[in-house]
Amino acid sequence: MRKTYIGELEEVVLLTVAVLQEEAYGVAIGLYLGRELGRKLSISAIHATLNRLAEKGYVDSHLGGATAERGGRRKRYFKVTTSGSRILTEIQQVRSQLWSQLPPNALAT
Amino acid sequence: MITPPKWMNTPLRMWCKPELLEEIEGDLLEYYGFWIEEYGQRKANRLYAWHALKFLRPFALKKVKSNNSNPINMLQHALLIAFRNFRKHSSSFLINLLGLCSGLTCVLIIYLWVNDELSIDKFHKNDQQLYQVMQNKSSGAGITTVEWTPGLLANALATEMPEVEQAVTVMSATWFPDFALSEKGEEPVKAKGQFAGIGFFQMFSFDLTQGDANQLFLNKNEVVISEDLARQIFNTTENIIGKTLEWKVLEFSGVSTITGICKNVPKNSTQQFDFVLPIEKLYEFIPRFNGRWAASGPDTYLLLAKGTDVSRFNAKISDFLQSKDQEIEASLFVRSYADRYLYGNYENGQLNGGRIAYVKLFSSIAILILFIACINFTNLTTANASRRAKEVGVKKVVGAHRSTLIFQYLIESSLLAFMSLIMAIALVTYLLPGFNSMAGKAIQLHFNTELIIIIFSIALVTGLLAGSYPALYLSRFSPGKILKGQFKTSIIDFWARKGLVTFQFATSIILIIAVLVVYKQTSFIQTANIGFEKDNVIYINNEGASAKNLDTFLAELKNVGGVLNASSTTHIMTGKYMSTDNLRWPAKTNDISFEMIEGNYDLIETLNIPLKEGRSFSRTFGNESDKIIFNERAIEMMGLEDPIGKKIGLFDKECEIIGITKDFHLESFHESIKPAFFVLNSDHARILILKIQSGQEHSTLERLSKFYKSQNPDLPFEYHFLDDNFQKLYVSEQRVSTLTKYFAALACLISCLGLLGLSAFNAERRMKEIGIRKILGSSVLSIVRLISGEFTKIILLANVVALPISYLITKHWLSDFAYRIDLEWWFFAASGLSAILVAWLIVGWQTLKVARINPMVFLRKE
């Protein structure tokens, strides 16, 4: 498969989906990013990112049950696909490889 | 659970993909809950709306449905159908084309005219910083605003006010008759000259082709001439710097060295001159302009520093004159130089429009006429809808979308608009020379990018405006009904069409009435009694032999055959006079500004001004220089009883009143009659005024010319008729009168075209009905009456709308004249009736045509 580019925001959102497991849907992702990483993203930005990830085949989604607090509207839950986990691992490997090759004082400024 | 206002979801639903809507709305709602807790309802609402708006992103947007895989093909198809339709319904095509074409022609011409008006005086590089100093003079009668200022003003302002970067004094060429200008010993040429201060050519962009703007006019015996004048005198513009010119005007004359050549003054400049002399030269002849603060004459122009707050500057210079001379009752202010053409009228010290009124008037006429033309198109096309319904039905059944149909009809109307545009451009090119001479312009059709963009957008807007309603209307038809033959025009459309026709006719009626009133007022002005005789009165400049020995010259003039009387005066009877408030009389309470006419013996007789009491100046009473003659208005304003023989103080002497003339008009009928007086003085005689016998003007003028040449071999004989001068006072009224006449005719023509099309359609639509009526025994006449009855109601309604509106408009226009005609009821009755008559004629003719056909011809079809 052709290697698809993944941006930094996409990477963070994809990881969050992985972290949240069964609870990964729009609002939860947004709140988690805000709370844990201090990144305030608008809902539309999250939806847009999730949409891009879905197009690239890194996430899958299904509709959950309706809940009262959402005015009877269903949630769309996201799950990391196999290719999603593969790209995350790849990124991780590239990073650790680079880190391991870093000379001792290279970053000290 | 708290939910945001329902309407807030509506916009989201408009653009969001339906399959994403549920989750997005759900997420937003969840967030809304947090926001309410954190910020309260109001801010939460705002945040909700803001975040919903942020979903205007490509991924969430609805896909615009499109199945036109080949737009070029579609355009081709639309054009083909359009051309076929034009051919098929050639009569309505022609009516539409003619209507739109005349509308566009009118708009184009008015656009060119307005553009030209707006461009006047705007070409100077320093345009944004150029200002003219004005004076508000207060007197008993109110405040008059004048352009003339003391000659001392420019230098004083430039040195004392830091805002003034440069100040220049100009004595405009309009103050003088034409100069006689010549190279030594050559035949003189007549040319317009103005006087200007140092820096004139730096301040204004009358570009020098030779000479140095910074060095000009340091010496007062210099002159700068235009390229045209140089060619006229020397046949070349080369190597003439340093040559000398002799010039002569009124009693002034001089010899000046050419130090500069400037480009010809552009037509869109209000300052018009052929050559410029230094203002210092003028002060040599009229020292008071430069010696006294109380003597105003020339114009003062300022170049203000960039970013000057004009209102603050105006407050600063308001009392400037009093600080120089306490006796002066006038306040100064500046106005933008470029504004002086369009915003030139002041009333009681307040700006009161000017030519801008005509610019606005014609712009609205243009828009109205174009609108009427568009209405025609809309009307005719929707009226013809039944003919095209089948086409729509078939297309829809085959699978055409509504958008495709709308596109097609808009293409059709735009195509028509562009065809009309091409015809209109041809027409404009043909009509422009005539229009120019009528409007006193030199407009040319230059196709630059701006003009092309503008006329194309006008045509496009016209096409869309005219075509949008028919397009929406036609494309709405349901194919099933049409193909089953159940097509029917709805009641609403019928009324909409009637409403539009009413509007059209109301506009036409308003224009007809306006034209009638303008015409009546202009002819009233021209034939009205102005208080003296202006016909067969000619005047010539007092120069040469007559200036040397005035009395002998006048006596000899009277002996020329055909000359009835001759005299001299300071000014011609129209336009600017010397005015003075330096009069003293018993029981004087306030200052009145009088027009002072310094004339010779026989002036009152030459002009045939009737005397009310007393006598005129006469040689039989010895020296009469201490006698004075007032007009009725002056006596009335001074409140003098039994005035003959009373003494009046004028400047520093006592004058005896010997006569009172009836009132006469010195200015246009916009102004009321001014108090005036005559005194005997031939020192300032600038003009010789002659009354000649009517019926033999030509031979008299020939004799006069011969006599003049014998006395003044080096001066050309130039004369003017006094009544021409009066015509000039009303040039703009006359132009408006002629132009509105044409525009009104055009509006009527377009309206009639519309009615013609509509009534033809109506008659055709009701053919079946007419046929049945005829078979059942109706006469042709009763059918015609039946159908024209419907239209009569429309025109009557148009009258009801138009008459009050036109009454208000014409009343407003007339209020501008101090002397005016009364609005008479028959203006309105005649215009309304003529509209009804025209409508009857058109409708009757169309119906008659159908009604006379043998009913079998169209009943057989069924």
Side-chain angles (χ1 to χ4, degrees):
Chain A
M1 193 184 106
R2 188 173 63 90
K3 204 164 172 183
T4 318
Y5 174 78
I6 182 165
E8 189 267 347
L9 182 62
E10 285 169 24
E11 185 190 333
V12 173
V13 171
L14 189 56
L15 273 170
T16 315
V17 172
V19 170
L20 289 175
Q21 294 282 332
E22 300 299 309
E23 275 309 304
Y25 76 100
V27 176
I29 297 169
L31 288 179
Y32 182 86
L33 284 174
R35 202 172 56 234
E36 300 292 319
L37 305 180
R39 289 179 78 147
K40 292 249 181 224
L41 291 174
S42 76
I43 324 158
S44 55
I46 292 163
H47 276 265
T49 315
L50 286 169
N51 183 63
R52 273 205 301 280
L53 287 171
E55 271 174 9
K56 291 174 182 172
Y58 297 143
V59 290
D60 236 353
S61 68
H62 67 276
L63 284 172
T67 46
E69 82 234 57
R70 295 168 62 91
R73 293 178 182 84
R74 290 170 295 175
K75 293 174 182 171
R76 181 174 293 277
Y77 288 105
F78 290 88
K79 205 178 90 200
V80 181
T81 57
T82 332
S83 64
S85 356
R86 196 182 307 133
I87 192 121
L88 282 177
T89 336
E90 246 172 56
I91 292 169
Q92 178 68 3
Q93 275 168 0
V94 169
R95 304 252 155 108
S96 29
Q97 190 187 346
L98 285 172
W99 275 106
S100 68
Q101 286 168 1
L102 216 57
N105 293 324
L107 292 177
T109 41
Chain B
M1 194 194 71
I2 310 154
T3 50
K6 257 218 173 99
W7 57 265
M8 289 174 84
N9 276 329
T10 326
L12 190 64
R13 277 179 197 156
M14 264 165 51
W15 62 69
C16 196
K17 271 185 200 159
E19 62 266 30
L20 293 180
L21 201 61
E22 183 174 355
E23 51 190 287
I24 289 177
E25 275 183 0
D27 280 7
L28 274 172
L29 208 58
E30 241 178 278
Y31 265 98
Y32 186 70
F34 305 140
W35 290 330
I36 283 197
E37 264 173 45
E38 214 172 321
Y39 311 110
Q41 175 110 30
R42 281 171 65 95
K43 187 162 182 192
N45 277 351
R46 239 179 311 135
L47 280 168
Y48 186 93
W50 172 237
H51 280 267
L53 191 70
K54 279 189 163 178
F55 274 98
L56 273 173
R57 288 168 181 256
F59 86 93
L61 286 185
K62 271 181 195 166
K63 284 244 160 46
V64 183
K65 265 182 271 168
S66 152
N67 41 14
N68 310 319
S69 50
N70 192 343
I72 305 276
N73 248 340
M74 185 161 143
L75 190 68
Q76 262 177 356
H77 170 80
L79 286 176
L80 184 71
I81 296 273
F83 277 119
R84 277 186 191 156
N85 257 311
F86 291 161
R87 222 178 19 217
K88 201 168 158 199
H89 308 297
S90 52
S91 66
S92 47
F93 166 68
L94 272 179
I95 289 178
N96 279 333
L97 192 69
L98 221 66
L100 282 181
C101 170
S102 20
L104 282 172
T105 309
C106 187
V107 169
L108 263 180
I109 287 190
I110 292 179
Y111 168 78
L112 289 172
W113 182 81
V114 166
N115 213 21
D116 192 73
E117 286 282 288
L118 294 180
S119 79
I120 283 176
D121 279 343
K122 298 251 166 73
F123 61 92
H124 298 287
K125 270 184 223 94
N126 296 326
D127 178 47
Q128 295 299 315
Q129 292 164 265
L130 283 179
Y131 289 86
Q132 178 175 19
V133 183
M134 308 281 290
Q135 274 195 72
N136 272 334
K137 285 174 170 272
S138 35
S139 69
I143 303 172
T144 33
T145 305
V146 297
E147 304 177 352
W148 40 95
T149 51
L152 295 167
L153 188 64
N155 275 339
L157 281 177
T159 44
E160 291 174 41
M161 298 285 163
E163 293 92 339
V164 179
E165 286 187 354
Q166 204 178 10
V168 168
T169 315
V170 172
M171 194 75 184
S172 144
T174 54
W175 280 90
F176 308 97
D178 285 351
F179 286 58
L181 202 70
S182 62
E183 199 184 359
K184 200 172 173 61
E186 300 284 318
E187 184 80 357
V189 168
K190 289 269 172 175
K192 282 198 208 83
Q194 87 175 8
F195 292 91
I198 298 166
F200 176 77
F201 285 98
Q202 295 167 316
M203 190 185 248
F204 295 103
S205 301
F206 301 112
D207 297 337
L208 290 173
T209 51
Q210 290 173 49
D212 181 358
N214 301 317
Q215 299 295 318
L216 279 179
F217 295 166
L218 297 176
N219 174 331
K220 64 181 168 184
N221 290 317
E222 295 179 27
V223 62
V224 174
I225 65 175
S226 74
E227 289 182 330
D228 262 2
L229 187 62
R231 278 191 209 103
Q232 226 177 320
I233 299 176
F234 302 102
N235 292 322
T236 173
T237 57
E238 300 301 316
N239 299 322
I240 52 174
I241 296 278
K243 292 200 173 176
T244 54
L245 284 177
E246 292 180 348
W247 54 267
K248 214 181 277 177
V249 66
L250 304 172
E251 65 263 36
F252 316 136
S253 63
V255 179
S256 298
T257 311
I258 301 171
T259 50
I261 294 169
C262 66
K263 284 192 187 145
N264 296 327
V265 174
K267 283 239 163 53
N268 57 355
S269 165
T270 49
Q271 296 189 55
Q272 289 290 340
F273 53 83
D274 301 313
F275 65 97
V276 189
L277 292 165
I279 191 96
E280 291 294 330
K281 196 73 195 169
L282 181 74
Y283 297 152
E284 204 175 273
F285 299 114
I286 315 176
R288 70 191 153 95
F289 279 163
N290 200 31
R292 288 172 49 205
W293 283 98
S296 288
D299 300 337
T300 303
Y301 299 112
L302 304 180
L303 184 74
L304 294 186
K306 275 187 185 137
T308 302
D309 182 342
V310 175
S311 56
R312 199 176 299 164
F313 182 71
N314 276 339
K316 224 168 131 182
I317 62 166
S318 154
D319 298 330
F320 193 78
L321 288 180
Q322 281 87 319
S323 72
K324 303 292 175 190
D325 181 346
Q326 289 180 344
E327 305 235 311
I328 297 174
E329 279 184 60
S331 66
L332 293 184
F333 66 98
V334 295
R335 72 161 171 212
S336 164
Y337 178 76
D339 279 352
R340 69 185 205 158
Y341 180 69
L342 286 177
Y343 302 88
N345 287 3
Y346 288 85
E347 208 172 285
N348 221 358
Q350 294 294 313
L351 184 66
N352 181 28
R355 289 188 67 94
I356 190 75
Y358 291 133
V359 171
K360 283 180 185 157
L361 176 76
F362 283 130
S363 309
S364 3
I365 289 182
I367 292 171
L368 262 180
I369 287 183
L370 191 62
F371 206 64
I372 294 181
C374 286
I375 288 177
N376 262 358
F377 181 89
T378 307
N379 265 346
L380 269 180
T381 318
T382 40
N384 282 334
S386 58
R387 289 180 182 167
R388 304 193 63 176
K390 248 177 220 155
E391 176 192 327
V392 175
V394 171
K395 279 194 166 176
K396 277 199 169 174
V397 168
V398 171
H401 273 273
R402 195 175 168 199
S403 57
T404 328
L405 288 172
I406 292 179
F407 178 75
Q408 190 210 311
Y409 290 124
L410 286 182
I411 285 285
E412 204 174 304
S413 63
S414 308
L415 185 69
L416 195 73
F418 278 102
M419 286 164 85
S420 316
L421 178 72
I422 292 166
M423 279 172 64
I425 291 174
L427 253 175
V428 169
T429 328
Y430 173 73
L431 291 175
L432 256 186
F435 176 80
N436 275 337
S437 67
M438 200 159 65
K441 293 263 178 197
I443 301 169
Q444 278 178 322
L445 203 58
H446 285 305
F447 286 101
N448 49 19
T449 338
E450 194 198 319
L451 183 71
I452 289 171
I453 289 174
I454 282 175
I455 58 179
F456 267 75
S457 20
I458 291 176
L460 196 67
V461 168
T462 311
L464 295 182
L465 195 70
S468 56
Y469 180 73
L472 291 173
Y473 175 75
L474 283 168
S475 61
R476 206 171 52 205
F477 294 156
S478 109
K481 278 191 183 160
I482 295 169
L483 296 179
K484 268 192 251 157
Q486 290 171 341
F487 172 77
K488 243 188 177 163
T489 328
S490 77
I491 291 291
I492 299 167
D493 294 316
F494 187 62
W495 280 110
R497 270 209 303 282
K498 278 191 170 173
L500 290 175
V501 174
T502 312
F503 174 81
Q504 262 184 330
F505 264 82
T507 319
S508 304
I509 294 168
I510 291 173
L511 280 172
I512 295 173
I513 293 174
V515 168
L516 204 64
V517 172
V518 173
Y519 172 73
K520 280 273 163 194
Q521 173 72 14
T522 17
S523 53
F524 165 71
I525 287 167
Q526 275 155 15
T527 54
N529 182 11
I530 52 166
F532 60 88
E533 248 175 69
K534 61 182 179 346
D535 299 330
N536 293 312
V537 174
I538 61 167
Y539 63 90
I540 47 186
N541 289 335
N542 178 22
E543 50 192 348
S546 60
K548 275 187 210 120
N549 202 337
L550 184 63
D551 286 337
T552 327
F553 195 88
L554 282 176
E556 281 172 19
L557 262 184
K558 283 184 203 168
N559 290 329
V560 175
V563 176
L564 298 178
N565 216 336
S567 183
S568 71
T569 179
T570 39
H571 289 82
I572 44 166
M573 294 302 283
T574 59
K576 286 159 183 162
Y577 265 88
M578 280 289 283
S579 55
T580 178
D581 52 12
N582 215 328
L583 261 71
R584 298 173 308 279
W585 61 93
K588 177 178 178 177
T589 49
N590 58 348
D591 278 348
I592 301 172
S593 181
F594 294 87
E595 307 289 317
M596 179 166 84
I597 307 167
E598 295 172 282
N600 212 328
Y601 292 104
D602 297 331
L603 178 62
I604 292 172
E605 288 76 9
T606 306
L607 292 170
N608 229 337
I609 300 174
L611 282 172
K612 197 186 161 212
E613 277 179 67
R615 60 174 181 88
S616 174
F617 300 115
S618 164
R619 288 191 173 86
T620 50
F621 295 89
N623 185 8
E624 297 230 274
S625 61
D626 58 347
K627 304 288 192 296
I628 189 166
I629 298 176
F630 283 101
N631 67 354
E632 272 183 281
R633 170 64 58 95
I635 297 291
E636 189 186 311
M637 284 180 79
M638 290 189 292
L640 288 182
E641 302 274 340
D642 212 4
I644 303 287
K646 289 227 161 79
K647 297 274 186 188
I648 295 291
L650 171 64
F651 300 119
D652 41 15
K653 64 179 180 182
E654 289 274 292
C655 291
E656 185 194 337
I657 305 178
I658 56 164
I660 298 158
T661 70
K662 294 243 167 98
D663 280 337
F664 48 88
H665 284 271
L666 292 173
E667 283 166 285
S668 81
F669 277 31
H670 288 291
E671 314 286 338
S672 46
I673 288 176
K674 296 264 166 70
F677 63 85
F678 292 88
V679 284
L680 207 55
N681 185 350
S682 52
D683 295 346
H684 298 152
R686 289 161 188 240
I687 280 162
L688 307 181
I689 201 153
L690 287 88
K691 170 87 178 168
I692 59 174
Q693 185 127 36
S694 71
Q696 41 177 295
E697 293 85 352
H698 191 74
S699 56
T700 309
L701 282 170
E702 226 159 67
R703 278 193 291 274
L704 270 175
S705 168
K706 212 174 281 170
F707 167 74
Y708 193 86
K709 276 280 167 197
S710 71
Q711 299 283 320
N712 294 305
D714 57 342
L715 277 179
F717 176 62
E718 288 209 348
Y719 62 91
H720 302 272
F721 276 94
L722 196 58
D723 48 357
D724 287 343
N725 248 317
F726 266 83
Q727 302 278 322
K728 274 187 207 150
L729 293 176
Y730 306 106
V731 166
S732 53
E733 278 79 17
Q734 277 199 316
R735 281 176 187 159
V736 171
S737 163
T738 344
L739 289 178
T740 36
K741 227 181 281 172
Y742 283 109
F743 291 142
L746 205 69
C748 295
L749 176 81
I750 300 175
S751 301
C752 290
L753 278 178
L755 196 64
L756 181 75
L758 208 58
S759 60
F761 160 75
N762 198 37
E764 207 179 302
R765 198 178 54 122
R766 294 172 71 170
M767 265 186 190
K768 230 189 281 177
E769 182 196 327
I770 292 171
I772 292 168
R773 276 175 194 274
K774 272 186 89 173
I775 287 172
L776 292 179
S778 274
S779 68
V780 172
L781 192 69
S782 68
I783 291 168
V784 170
R785 205 183 293 148
L786 174 83
I787 300 209
S788 35
E790 262 176 46
F791 285 97
T792 312
K793 273 182 224 150
I794 296 181
I795 309 298
L796 278 178
L797 184 65
N799 268 316
V800 170
V801 177
L803 296 185
I805 296 176
S806 55
Y807 176 74
L808 291 176
I809 294 176
T810 47
K811 211 177 151 178
H812 179 74
W813 185 77
L814 282 176
S815 69
D816 218 27
F817 291 87
Y819 300 91
R820 55 182 177 248
I821 52 162
D822 293 321
L823 286 175
E824 307 216 25
W825 64 271
W826 65 264
F827 293 170
F828 301 93
S831 312
L833 266 178
S834 59
I836 293 178
L837 278 179
V838 169
W840 273 347
L841 250 153
I842 293 173
V843 177
W845 171 49
Q846 285 299 322
T847 322
L848 199 65
K849 241 173 49 183
V850 177
R852 283 175 61 183
I853 303 173
N854 183 348
M856 291 321 290
V857 174
F858 33 84
L859 286 179
R860 204 162 29 198
K861 280 187 198 156
E862 296 296 313

mmCIF file of all heavy atoms in Angstrom, chain B residues 456-470:
data_model
loop_
_atom_site.group_PDB
_atom_site.id
_atom_site.type_symbol
_atom_site.label_atom_id
_atom_site.label_comp_id
_atom_site.label_asym_id
_atom_site.label_seq_id
_atom_site.Cartn_x
_atom_site.Cartn_y
_atom_site.Cartn_z
ATOM 1 N N PHE B 456 -20.552 46.340 -20.210
ATOM 2 C CA PHE B 456 -20.879 44.919 -20.211
ATOM 3 C C PHE B 456 -21.645 44.542 -18.948
ATOM 4 O O PHE B 456 -22.583 43.754 -19.000
ATOM 5 C CB PHE B 456 -19.624 44.066 -20.372
ATOM 6 C CG PHE B 456 -19.356 43.729 -21.801
ATOM 7 C CD1 PHE B 456 -18.852 44.693 -22.664
ATOM 8 C CD2 PHE B 456 -19.663 42.472 -22.306
ATOM 9 C CE1 PHE B 456 -18.638 44.413 -23.995
ATOM 10 C CE2 PHE B 456 -19.456 42.185 -23.641
ATOM 11 C CZ PHE B 456 -18.931 43.147 -24.491
ATOM 12 N N SER B 457 -21.250 45.139 -17.826
ATOM 13 C CA SER B 457 -22.013 44.773 -16.630
ATOM 14 C C SER B 457 -23.414 45.348 -16.683
ATOM 15 O O SER B 457 -24.347 44.718 -16.194
ATOM 16 C CB SER B 457 -21.301 45.168 -15.340
ATOM 17 O OG SER B 457 -20.346 46.139 -15.558
ATOM 18 N N ILE B 458 -23.563 46.536 -17.304
ATOM 19 C CA ILE B 458 -24.923 47.074 -17.437
ATOM 20 C C ILE B 458 -25.780 46.092 -18.252
ATOM 21 O O ILE B 458 -26.891 45.747 -17.871
ATOM 22 C CB ILE B 458 -24.915 48.461 -18.113
ATOM 23 C CG1 ILE B 458 -24.295 49.491 -17.179
ATOM 24 C CG2 ILE B 458 -26.335 48.890 -18.460
ATOM 25 C CD1 ILE B 458 -24.154 50.867 -17.793
ATOM 26 N N ALA B 459 -25.206 45.615 -19.369
ATOM 27 C CA ALA B 459 -25.966 44.690 -20.219
ATOM 28 C C ALA B 459 -26.264 43.401 -19.468
ATOM 29 O O ALA B 459 -27.378 42.865 -19.540
ATOM 30 C CB ALA B 459 -25.186 44.405 -21.490
ATOM 31 N N LEU B 460 -25.277 42.909 -18.736
ATOM 32 C CA LEU B 460 -25.468 41.651 -18.014
ATOM 33 C C LEU B 460 -26.553 41.803 -16.953
ATOM 34 O O LEU B 460 -27.454 40.971 -16.839
ATOM 35 C CB LEU B 460 -24.145 41.243 -17.359
ATOM 36 C CG LEU B 460 -24.085 39.797 -16.919
ATOM 37 C CD1 LEU B 460 -24.103 38.891 -18.132
ATOM 38 C CD2 LEU B 460 -22.835 39.540 -16.095
ATOM 39 N N VAL B 461 -26.467 42.897 -16.195
ATOM 40 C CA VAL B 461 -27.471 43.130 -15.155
ATOM 41 C C VAL B 461 -28.852 43.264 -15.795
ATOM 42 O O VAL B 461 -29.837 42.710 -15.305
ATOM 43 C CB VAL B 461 -27.121 44.403 -14.345
ATOM 44 C CG1 VAL B 461 -28.288 44.818 -13.476
ATOM 45 C CG2 VAL B 461 -25.900 44.148 -13.487
ATOM 46 N N THR B 462 -28.905 43.983 -16.922
ATOM 47 C CA THR B 462 -30.178 44.117 -17.616
ATOM 48 C C THR B 462 -30.722 42.751 -17.993
ATOM 49 O O THR B 462 -31.894 42.445 -17.765
ATOM 50 C CB THR B 462 -29.990 44.957 -18.899
ATOM 51 O OG1 THR B 462 -29.282 46.121 -18.555
ATOM 52 C CG2 THR B 462 -31.319 45.315 -19.515
ATOM 53 N N GLY B 463 -29.856 41.925 -18.582
ATOM 54 C CA GLY B 463 -30.292 40.591 -19.001
ATOM 55 C C GLY B 463 -30.795 39.786 -17.815
ATOM 56 O O GLY B 463 -31.862 39.178 -17.883
ATOM 57 N N LEU B 464 -30.060 39.820 -16.716
ATOM 58 C CA LEU B 464 -30.451 39.032 -15.554
ATOM 59 C C LEU B 464 -31.722 39.573 -14.920
ATOM 60 O O LEU B 464 -32.621 38.834 -14.549
ATOM 61 C CB LEU B 464 -29.315 39.002 -14.522
ATOM 62 C CG LEU B 464 -28.046 38.292 -14.983
ATOM 63 C CD1 LEU B 464 -27.015 38.278 -13.874
ATOM 64 C CD2 LEU B 464 -28.357 36.869 -15.418
ATOM 65 N N LEU B 465 -31.787 40.915 -14.833
ATOM 66 C CA LEU B 465 -32.954 41.565 -14.229
ATOM 67 C C LEU B 465 -34.208 41.235 -15.027
ATOM 68 O O LEU B 465 -35.251 40.879 -14.485
ATOM 69 C CB LEU B 465 -32.719 43.075 -14.215
ATOM 70 C CG LEU B 465 -33.620 43.908 -13.334
ATOM 71 C CD1 LEU B 465 -33.274 43.636 -11.877
ATOM 72 C CD2 LEU B 465 -33.431 45.379 -13.634
ATOM 73 N N ALA B 466 -34.076 41.381 -16.348
ATOM 74 C CA ALA B 466 -35.245 41.169 -17.201
ATOM 75 C C ALA B 466 -35.591 39.691 -17.257
ATOM 76 O O ALA B 466 -36.757 39.328 -17.357
ATOM 77 C CB ALA B 466 -34.976 41.705 -18.597
ATOM 78 N N GLY B 467 -34.583 38.825 -17.187
ATOM 79 C CA GLY B 467 -34.821 37.410 -17.428
ATOM 80 C C GLY B 467 -35.125 36.589 -16.190
ATOM 81 O O GLY B 467 -35.613 35.467 -16.292
ATOM 82 N N SER B 468 -34.837 37.138 -14.981
ATOM 83 C CA SER B 468 -34.917 36.270 -13.809
ATOM 84 C C SER B 468 -36.354 35.845 -13.505
ATOM 85 O O SER B 468 -36.601 34.676 -13.241
ATOM 86 C CB SER B 468 -34.284 36.953 -12.606
ATOM 87 O OG SER B 468 -34.889 38.188 -12.391
ATOM 88 N N TYR B 469 -37.283 36.786 -13.594
ATOM 89 C CA TYR B 469 -38.647 36.386 -13.281
ATOM 90 C C TYR B 469 -39.191 35.381 -14.297
ATOM 91 O O TYR B 469 -39.676 34.318 -13.909
ATOM 92 C CB TYR B 469 -39.567 37.602 -13.150
ATOM 93 C CG TYR B 469 -40.979 37.221 -12.820
ATOM 94 C CD1 TYR B 469 -41.310 36.777 -11.543
ATOM 95 C CD2 TYR B 469 -41.977 37.270 -13.774
ATOM 96 C CE1 TYR B 469 -42.596 36.392 -11.233
ATOM 97 C CE2 TYR B 469 -43.270 36.886 -13.481
ATOM 98 C CZ TYR B 469 -43.580 36.452 -12.201
ATOM 99 O OH TYR B 469 -44.853 36.066 -11.906
ATOM 100 N N PRO B 470 -39.082 35.659 -15.585
ATOM 101 C CA PRO B 470 -39.539 34.652 -16.551
ATOM 102 C C PRO B 470 -38.850 33.308 -16.362
ATOM 103 O O PRO B 470 -39.494 32.263 -16.474
ATOM 104 C CB PRO B 470 -39.177 35.258 -17.906
ATOM 105 C CG PRO B 470 -39.055 36.688 -17.673
ATOM 106 C CD PRO B 470 -38.641 36.880 -16.257
#
